[in-house]
Amino acid sequence: EDTPGFRQEAWVRRYGTTGTVAYTTIYDGNATGITTARDIVVDGSSNAYFVGETTVGGTADANANQYVRKLSSAGALLFSNTRDGGFGDFYSSVGILSNGKVVCAGYSFLDGSAVPADCDGVLTEYAPATLAQDSVVTYNGAGNDWDQWHEMTVDGTRVYLTGGTYAT
């Protein structure tokens, strides 16, 4: 994931009912860095929402920003939003609430050290039409160390998260 000297792009591919490729969309967040897609969800209109991180100004994790992108049923980019929470930000999961809002889960590093020592779980909610950021909720466990959300399931208006915490 964090390989200096290598450029990486994220992509989304949709297949038709016969197994043929309907579209492939490539996202190169930074032409010299690493862009990774981590999860995807599709709404009732066949719009795809995908999330991950893209490095800015290099390939180090400390330069990563979270992103969420919305593609039309034909693969055209409709909206995109990038979140810079500080020193290194990663989305691992995306879901859609019953009101249409898009929720993204992941984590953000909170310090700028070469070996980050503190990160919090992050849950961000976005408006469905434009992906404008509505709210951010963070989780900081008892040890104030590594708290990360990795997987998420959405059940109507409820969000279920799983992840890990490391407390010294």
Side-chain angles (χ1 to χ4, degrees):
E1 159 180 332
D2 192 11
T3 310
F6 291 94
R7 189 170 139 236
Q8 183 173 318
E9 299 168 334
W11 56 270
V12 171
R13 177 169 283 172
R14 178 178 163 211
Y15 289 92
T17 56
T18 62
T20 59
V21 175
Y23 69 77
T24 300
T25 299
I26 296 174
Y27 174 45
D28 186 7
N30 178 0
T32 61
I34 295 174
T35 301
T36 304
R38 301 282 180 197
D39 196 21
I40 189 168
V41 67
V42 178
D43 67 16
S45 299
S46 297
N47 297 309
Y49 301 81
F50 69 104
V51 296
E53 65 274 346
T54 184
T55 59
V56 178
T59 59
D61 283 349
N63 297 321
N65 289 335
Q66 298 161 326
Y67 72 82
V68 57
R69 294 174 69 83
K70 179 180 181 179
L71 302 177
S72 73
S73 60
L77 178 63
L78 297 175
F79 295 100
S80 181
N81 195 325
T82 302
R83 182 181 174 279
D84 180 1
F87 298 103
D89 307 291
F90 304 85
Y91 277 148
S92 55
S93 193
V94 60
I96 301 172
L97 297 169
S98 58
N99 63 5
K101 291 192 177 191
V102 178
V103 287
C104 303
Y107 56 96
S108 291
F109 289 112
L110 303 175
D111 60 20
S113 63
V115 179
D118 187 15
C119 65
D120 284 355
V122 174
L123 180 68
T124 311
E125 185 177 277
Y126 294 93
T130 62
L131 293 181
Q133 183 177 307
D134 281 346
S135 63
V136 176
V137 175
T138 60
Y139 171 72
N140 184 11
N144 204 29
D145 285 329
W146 286 68
D147 306 299
Q148 299 178 352
W149 289 333
H150 296 293
E151 297 291 331
M152 174 179 60
T153 295
V154 176
D155 177 19
T157 60
R158 295 178 295 266
V159 175
Y160 298 86
L161 295 158
T162 185
T165 188
Y166 173 73
T168 56

